[in-house]
Amino acid sequence: MLELNSSDDSKKNSLKDPVCLNVGGEIYTTTLDTLTRCRDSMLGTMFTGQVPMLRDSCGNIFIDRDGKVFRYILNYLRSGSLDLPDGFTELALLRREADFFQIPRLLEEIRHYEVSVPLGLRGGPLGAIMIVKVDSKVRVLHFNLRHGPENYELRTCSVRAFTVDLFCTWRAFLGLLCERFSYRTPQGLNSPHLCRPRQNRLKLEWVPKPDELPQEQYDKQQYRGLTLSSPEVTWSDDMMNMHYSPCEITDMQGFLEELLKISLAEGFKVDLVSPDPADILNCTSLRLVKS
């Protein structure tokens, strides 16, 4: 049985420490100071008497939210830092609850955690398979180089087009790759997308710009480069700041090297290399399995 507190002033000020909460069936004991640490949050509004509260049959204040991750919200309000156990797998749920309780600083801490902790340590299916197939072709490009009015010179230039087809049963990992790799276009950096919304496939196609090819001609052909964004952490006034430095991928060996770094950090292991297992950076196909 749940009872609604009266909204008169005497009831609003009747809360005293310790405060007992029933959050989705989980019982917590805390203080008013902790619950009102963020005054503009939903909890701050509730426990400064601005909205009526429900109590269960034992007199505990009832909050109809997920009680499993509320302990981490409470710990954050108490200590001011996000302290999650190794292998924590409920980050999406915690983010949703922090958003409901309207605690911006906690949401920012969660975003930093997501970047700093490998995806594999946040959970992921053991035995996930990734298959990579790579290809490159040299194309000869003919173009006119303008020196002045009615003064053009016919030029020839070779460009190398790279193609990578990735299939992965762990869809979240493909999402991570879409975050780390970007296309460089005249409009700026654009993230790649999965082939189709319901498919676990990602196709990357790019053409590095040769030095002898003018930028105008490169853009005219609608070529695009590929970059890797590596997260870098800096500290200012005890605040962690995260920014990304894009690095150009100019050949297939460079791409495979970066892909392997990301994959191995997320718990994948190389299972099959073709055609030469001893020359992985010059392979045409690759299979990795998450362990």
Side-chain angles (χ1 to χ4, degrees), residues 134-135 160-166 177-186 188-193 202-209 218 222-230 245-259 262:
V134 304
D135 189 26
R160 185 173 289 274
F162 296 103
T163 303
V164 177
D165 286 292
L166 298 104
L177 295 182
C178 290
E179 293 176 4
R180 298 293 299 276
F181 289 102
S182 300
Y183 289 122
R184 186 180 294 280
T185 71
L189 296 179
N190 294 326
S191 297
H193 301 284
L202 176 65
K203 187 172 186 176
L204 299 174
E205 297 176 292
W206 77 98
V207 177
K209 188 183 86 65
Y218 181 82
Q222 297 184 340
Y223 293 148
R224 54 189 180 181
L226 187 69
T227 68
L228 171 75
S229 296
S230 299
S245 299
C247 175
E248 294 285 341
I249 304 295
T250 58
D251 54 36
M252 189 60 76
Q253 289 83 0
F255 171 82
L256 287 171
E257 182 178 349
E258 298 299 339
L259 178 65
I262 298 171

Side-chain angles (χ1 to χ4, degrees), residues 48-64:
T48 53
Q50 299 178 53
V51 295
M53 293 178 292
L54 291 170
R55 290 185 184 270
D56 63 17
S57 58
C58 297
N60 304 311
I61 295 171
F62 180 77
I63 301 176
D64 190 17

Side-chain angles (χ1 to χ4, degrees), residues 79-90:
S79 65
S81 62
L82 182 62
D83 185 17
L84 299 176
D86 293 340
F88 183 71
T89 60
E90 300 288 349

Side-chain angles (χ1 to χ4, degrees), residues 125 128-132 165-175 177 194 199-202 263 268 288 290:
I129 297 174
M130 179 169 65
I131 298 173
V132 184
D165 286 292
L166 298 104
F167 168 79
C168 186
T169 57
W170 187 15
R171 191 180 182 85
F173 182 75
L174 292 179
L177 295 182
L194 300 184
Q199 287 188 348
N200 288 23
R201 296 180 180 274
L202 176 65
S263 304
F268 281 94
L288 300 99
K290 189 176 185 306

